[in-house]
Amino acid sequence: MNRCVIVGGGEIKDFRYVRRQLYESDYIISADLGYAHCTSMGLIPHLALGDFDSYRGDIAKECEVLRYPVEKNDTDTMLAVKEALKRGYREILMFGMTGGRLDHTLANIQTLVYGTNRGATLCICDKNCWITAVPGGKSISVPWREECSLSVFSYTEKSSGVNLENVHYPLHNAVLESEFPLGVSNHFLPGQEAVISVEKGMLIVVCNKAN
């Protein structure tokens, strides 16, 4: 199964950066104002969905459209993730998910966790920030990124059996709690791939580059 790329209506500082991350085989979903971002990149998404309270322009005839009422329980991003999962995608890359309103950013992180809990791998990405979730019993490797900090937070009340390897402040069989940011602002060892694992709970991993 190929990868699904979801373009939301949040801030995208560098459209050229996003274009470089895309594969020809990607299935692209735009969520509401994300369609305008796609247009700015010269893209026609395969699917445009949402309540379209932010984007009211034309949509290309070759693009499938799903419209929803404004008064609904799901955000447009959640609708996009649910649709991607429904169509069988288990690798989802998300752009336009940060910046602007903090409540939208937090909602998008919750949506990332929703997809992770259903067996998919999701990443929120922009030029200077990369966010993913690691569920209990899993591990990930994070490629070295120059001038980047690496932070790990417990999304659940507690995450136990946490291991951070190949970082400046390693952890071994540690417990992280949601109310105390012990894992903030770690650093890669030069040129080395960081390895993060957790036995129980859910971690949020943020790789952030200084502006």
PDB file of all heavy atoms in Angstrom, residues 46-63:
ATOM      1  N   HIS A  46      -5.967  14.113  -4.845  1.00  0.00           N
ATOM      2  CA  HIS A  46      -6.886  13.067  -5.293  1.00  0.00           C
ATOM      3  C   HIS A  46      -8.257  13.233  -4.637  1.00  0.00           C
ATOM      4  O   HIS A  46      -9.281  12.900  -5.238  1.00  0.00           O
ATOM      5  CB  HIS A  46      -6.316  11.690  -4.958  1.00  0.00           C
ATOM      6  CG  HIS A  46      -5.018  11.403  -5.648  1.00  0.00           C
ATOM      7  ND1 HIS A  46      -3.799  11.762  -5.112  1.00  0.00           N
ATOM      8  CD2 HIS A  46      -4.757  10.820  -6.847  1.00  0.00           C
ATOM      9  CE1 HIS A  46      -2.838  11.386  -5.942  1.00  0.00           C
ATOM     10  NE2 HIS A  46      -3.388  10.826  -6.992  1.00  0.00           N
ATOM     11  N   LEU A  47      -8.245  13.755  -3.401  1.00  0.00           N
ATOM     12  CA  LEU A  47      -9.481  13.918  -2.644  1.00  0.00           C
ATOM     13  C   LEU A  47      -9.436  15.230  -1.874  1.00  0.00           C
ATOM     14  O   LEU A  47      -8.435  15.526  -1.205  1.00  0.00           O
ATOM     15  CB  LEU A  47      -9.661  12.757  -1.662  1.00  0.00           C
ATOM     16  CG  LEU A  47     -10.788  12.863  -0.635  1.00  0.00           C
ATOM     17  CD1 LEU A  47     -12.151  12.909  -1.312  1.00  0.00           C
ATOM     18  CD2 LEU A  47     -10.724  11.703   0.362  1.00  0.00           C
ATOM     19  N   ALA A  48     -10.480  16.022  -1.959  1.00  0.00           N
ATOM     20  CA  ALA A  48     -10.647  17.228  -1.142  1.00  0.00           C
ATOM     21  C   ALA A  48     -11.855  17.010  -0.247  1.00  0.00           C
ATOM     22  O   ALA A  48     -12.925  16.628  -0.727  1.00  0.00           O
ATOM     23  CB  ALA A  48     -10.855  18.455  -2.021  1.00  0.00           C
ATOM     24  N   LEU A  49     -11.678  17.235   1.054  1.00  0.00           N
ATOM     25  CA  LEU A  49     -12.800  17.031   1.964  1.00  0.00           C
ATOM     26  C   LEU A  49     -12.825  18.098   3.042  1.00  0.00           C
ATOM     27  O   LEU A  49     -11.877  18.844   3.234  1.00  0.00           O
ATOM     28  CB  LEU A  49     -12.757  15.622   2.576  1.00  0.00           C
ATOM     29  CG  LEU A  49     -11.534  15.136   3.352  1.00  0.00           C
ATOM     30  CD1 LEU A  49     -11.357  15.846   4.688  1.00  0.00           C
ATOM     31  CD2 LEU A  49     -11.647  13.651   3.609  1.00  0.00           C
ATOM     32  N   GLY A  50     -13.946  18.143   3.759  1.00  0.00           N
ATOM     33  CA  GLY A  50     -14.102  19.070   4.865  1.00  0.00           C
ATOM     34  C   GLY A  50     -15.439  19.784   4.804  1.00  0.00           C
ATOM     35  O   GLY A  50     -16.286  19.490   3.953  1.00  0.00           O
ATOM     36  N   ASP A  51     -15.619  20.743   5.726  1.00  0.00           N
ATOM     37  CA  ASP A  51     -16.841  21.540   5.705  1.00  0.00           C
ATOM     38  C   ASP A  51     -16.696  22.773   4.811  1.00  0.00           C
ATOM     39  O   ASP A  51     -17.669  23.465   4.543  1.00  0.00           O
ATOM     40  CB  ASP A  51     -17.255  21.944   7.119  1.00  0.00           C
ATOM     41  CG  ASP A  51     -16.136  22.647   7.880  1.00  0.00           C
ATOM     42  OD1 ASP A  51     -15.265  23.281   7.249  1.00  0.00           O
ATOM     43  OD2 ASP A  51     -16.134  22.583   9.122  1.00  0.00           O
ATOM     44  N   PHE A  52     -15.463  23.038   4.394  1.00  0.00           N
ATOM     45  CA  PHE A  52     -15.164  24.157   3.485  1.00  0.00           C
ATOM     46  C   PHE A  52     -15.681  25.494   4.006  1.00  0.00           C
ATOM     47  O   PHE A  52     -16.217  26.308   3.274  1.00  0.00           O
ATOM     48  CB  PHE A  52     -15.692  23.864   2.073  1.00  0.00           C
ATOM     49  CG  PHE A  52     -15.012  22.684   1.436  1.00  0.00           C
ATOM     50  CD1 PHE A  52     -15.651  21.451   1.384  1.00  0.00           C
ATOM     51  CD2 PHE A  52     -13.723  22.790   0.935  1.00  0.00           C
ATOM     52  CE1 PHE A  52     -15.020  20.341   0.826  1.00  0.00           C
ATOM     53  CE2 PHE A  52     -13.082  21.687   0.375  1.00  0.00           C
ATOM     54  CZ  PHE A  52     -13.732  20.466   0.317  1.00  0.00           C
ATOM     55  N   ASP A  53     -15.489  25.699   5.307  1.00  0.00           N
ATOM     56  CA  ASP A  53     -15.794  27.006   5.882  1.00  0.00           C
ATOM     57  C   ASP A  53     -14.622  27.966   5.715  1.00  0.00           C
ATOM     58  O   ASP A  53     -14.775  29.176   5.893  1.00  0.00           O
ATOM     59  CB  ASP A  53     -16.184  26.884   7.361  1.00  0.00           C
ATOM     60  CG  ASP A  53     -15.052  26.342   8.221  1.00  0.00           C
ATOM     61  OD1 ASP A  53     -14.107  25.739   7.672  1.00  0.00           O
ATOM     62  OD2 ASP A  53     -15.135  26.510   9.454  1.00  0.00           O
ATOM     63  N   SER A  54     -13.450  27.420   5.365  1.00  0.00           N
ATOM     64  CA  SER A  54     -12.265  28.251   5.153  1.00  0.00           C
ATOM     65  C   SER A  54     -11.920  28.403   3.670  1.00  0.00           C
ATOM     66  O   SER A  54     -11.490  29.466   3.238  1.00  0.00           O
ATOM     67  CB  SER A  54     -11.057  27.652   5.886  1.00  0.00           C
ATOM     68  OG  SER A  54     -11.285  27.595   7.281  1.00  0.00           O
ATOM     69  N   TYR A  55     -12.108  27.353   2.904  1.00  0.00           N
ATOM     70  CA  TYR A  55     -11.847  27.418   1.467  1.00  0.00           C
ATOM     71  C   TYR A  55     -13.175  27.417   0.709  1.00  0.00           C
ATOM     72  O   TYR A  55     -13.982  26.498   0.854  1.00  0.00           O
ATOM     73  CB  TYR A  55     -10.986  26.240   1.004  1.00  0.00           C
ATOM     74  CG  TYR A  55     -10.699  26.284  -0.488  1.00  0.00           C
ATOM     75  CD1 TYR A  55      -9.743  27.170  -0.984  1.00  0.00           C
ATOM     76  CD2 TYR A  55     -11.401  25.486  -1.386  1.00  0.00           C
ATOM     77  CE1 TYR A  55      -9.497  27.244  -2.348  1.00  0.00           C
ATOM     78  CE2 TYR A  55     -11.155  25.560  -2.749  1.00  0.00           C
ATOM     79  CZ  TYR A  55     -10.203  26.443  -3.223  1.00  0.00           C
ATOM     80  OH  TYR A  55      -9.955  26.522  -4.570  1.00  0.00           O
ATOM     81  N   ARG A  56     -13.373  28.440  -0.105  1.00  0.00           N
ATOM     82  CA  ARG A  56     -14.624  28.561  -0.858  1.00  0.00           C
ATOM     83  C   ARG A  56     -14.386  28.707  -2.356  1.00  0.00           C
ATOM     84  O   ARG A  56     -15.284  29.101  -3.095  1.00  0.00           O
ATOM     85  CB  ARG A  56     -15.434  29.749  -0.338  1.00  0.00           C
ATOM     86  CG  ARG A  56     -15.861  29.605   1.125  1.00  0.00           C
ATOM     87  CD  ARG A  56     -16.656  30.800   1.602  1.00  0.00           C
ATOM     88  NE  ARG A  56     -17.144  30.632   2.961  1.00  0.00           N
ATOM     89  CZ  ARG A  56     -16.454  30.923   4.053  1.00  0.00           C
ATOM     90  NH1 ARG A  56     -15.222  31.408   3.926  1.00  0.00           N
ATOM     91  NH2 ARG A  56     -16.957  30.744   5.255  1.00  0.00           N
ATOM     92  N   GLY A  57     -13.173  28.406  -2.794  1.00  0.00           N
ATOM     93  CA  GLY A  57     -12.842  28.546  -4.203  1.00  0.00           C
ATOM     94  C   GLY A  57     -13.252  27.335  -5.021  1.00  0.00           C
ATOM     95  O   GLY A  57     -13.936  26.421  -4.552  1.00  0.00           O
ATOM     96  N   ASP A  58     -12.826  27.356  -6.266  1.00  0.00           N
ATOM     97  CA  ASP A  58     -13.128  26.255  -7.174  1.00  0.00           C
ATOM     98  C   ASP A  58     -12.282  25.033  -6.848  1.00  0.00           C
ATOM     99  O   ASP A  58     -11.177  25.140  -6.300  1.00  0.00           O
ATOM    100  CB  ASP A  58     -12.856  26.682  -8.619  1.00  0.00           C
ATOM    101  CG  ASP A  58     -13.790  27.795  -9.082  1.00  0.00           C
ATOM    102  OD1 ASP A  58     -14.912  27.863  -8.558  1.00  0.00           O
ATOM    103  OD2 ASP A  58     -13.373  28.593  -9.948  1.00  0.00           O
ATOM    104  N   ILE A  59     -12.799  23.879  -7.194  1.00  0.00           N
ATOM    105  CA  ILE A  59     -12.084  22.611  -7.035  1.00  0.00           C
ATOM    106  C   ILE A  59     -12.058  21.917  -8.388  1.00  0.00           C
ATOM    107  O   ILE A  59     -13.071  21.857  -9.095  1.00  0.00           O
ATOM    108  CB  ILE A  59     -12.756  21.715  -5.975  1.00  0.00           C
ATOM    109  CG1 ILE A  59     -12.696  22.403  -4.600  1.00  0.00           C
ATOM    110  CG2 ILE A  59     -12.096  20.342  -5.916  1.00  0.00           C
ATOM    111  CD1 ILE A  59     -13.408  21.629  -3.502  1.00  0.00           C
ATOM    112  N   ALA A  60     -10.904  21.422  -8.762  1.00  0.00           N
ATOM    113  CA  ALA A  60     -10.733  20.789 -10.072  1.00  0.00           C
ATOM    114  C   ALA A  60     -11.704  19.626 -10.247  1.00  0.00           C
ATOM    115  O   ALA A  60     -11.977  18.874  -9.300  1.00  0.00           O
ATOM    116  CB  ALA A  60      -9.292  20.301 -10.234  1.00  0.00           C
ATOM    117  N   LYS A  61     -12.219  19.471 -11.459  1.00  0.00           N
ATOM    118  CA  LYS A  61     -13.204  18.436 -11.745  1.00  0.00           C
ATOM    119  C   LYS A  61     -12.665  17.027 -11.504  1.00  0.00           C
ATOM    120  O   LYS A  61     -13.424  16.115 -11.151  1.00  0.00           O
ATOM    121  CB  LYS A  61     -13.690  18.568 -13.191  1.00  0.00           C
ATOM    122  CG  LYS A  61     -14.505  19.825 -13.453  1.00  0.00           C
ATOM    123  CD  LYS A  61     -14.973  19.882 -14.894  1.00  0.00           C
ATOM    124  CE  LYS A  61     -15.797  21.144 -15.154  1.00  0.00           C
ATOM    125  NZ  LYS A  61     -16.255  21.233 -16.567  1.00  0.00           N
ATOM    126  N   GLU A  62     -11.345  16.847 -11.714  1.00  0.00           N
ATOM    127  CA  GLU A  62     -10.761  15.511 -11.552  1.00  0.00           C
ATOM    128  C   GLU A  62     -10.499  15.149 -10.095  1.00  0.00           C
ATOM    129  O   GLU A  62     -10.052  14.037  -9.789  1.00  0.00           O
ATOM    130  CB  GLU A  62      -9.468  15.387 -12.355  1.00  0.00           C
ATOM    131  CG  GLU A  62      -8.386  16.399 -12.003  1.00  0.00           C
ATOM    132  CD  GLU A  62      -8.424  17.631 -12.906  1.00  0.00           C
ATOM    133  OE1 GLU A  62      -9.530  18.145 -13.152  1.00  0.00           O
ATOM    134  OE2 GLU A  62      -7.344  18.055 -13.354  1.00  0.00           O
ATOM    135  N   CYS A  63     -10.771  16.068  -9.171  1.00  0.00           N
ATOM    136  CA  CYS A  63     -10.557  15.829  -7.740  1.00  0.00           C
ATOM    137  C   CYS A  63     -11.860  15.348  -7.109  1.00  0.00           C
ATOM    138  O   CYS A  63     -12.907  16.004  -7.214  1.00  0.00           O
ATOM    139  CB  CYS A  63     -10.077  17.113  -7.072  1.00  0.00           C
ATOM    140  SG  CYS A  63      -9.853  16.992  -5.291  1.00  0.00           S
TER     141      CYS A  63
END
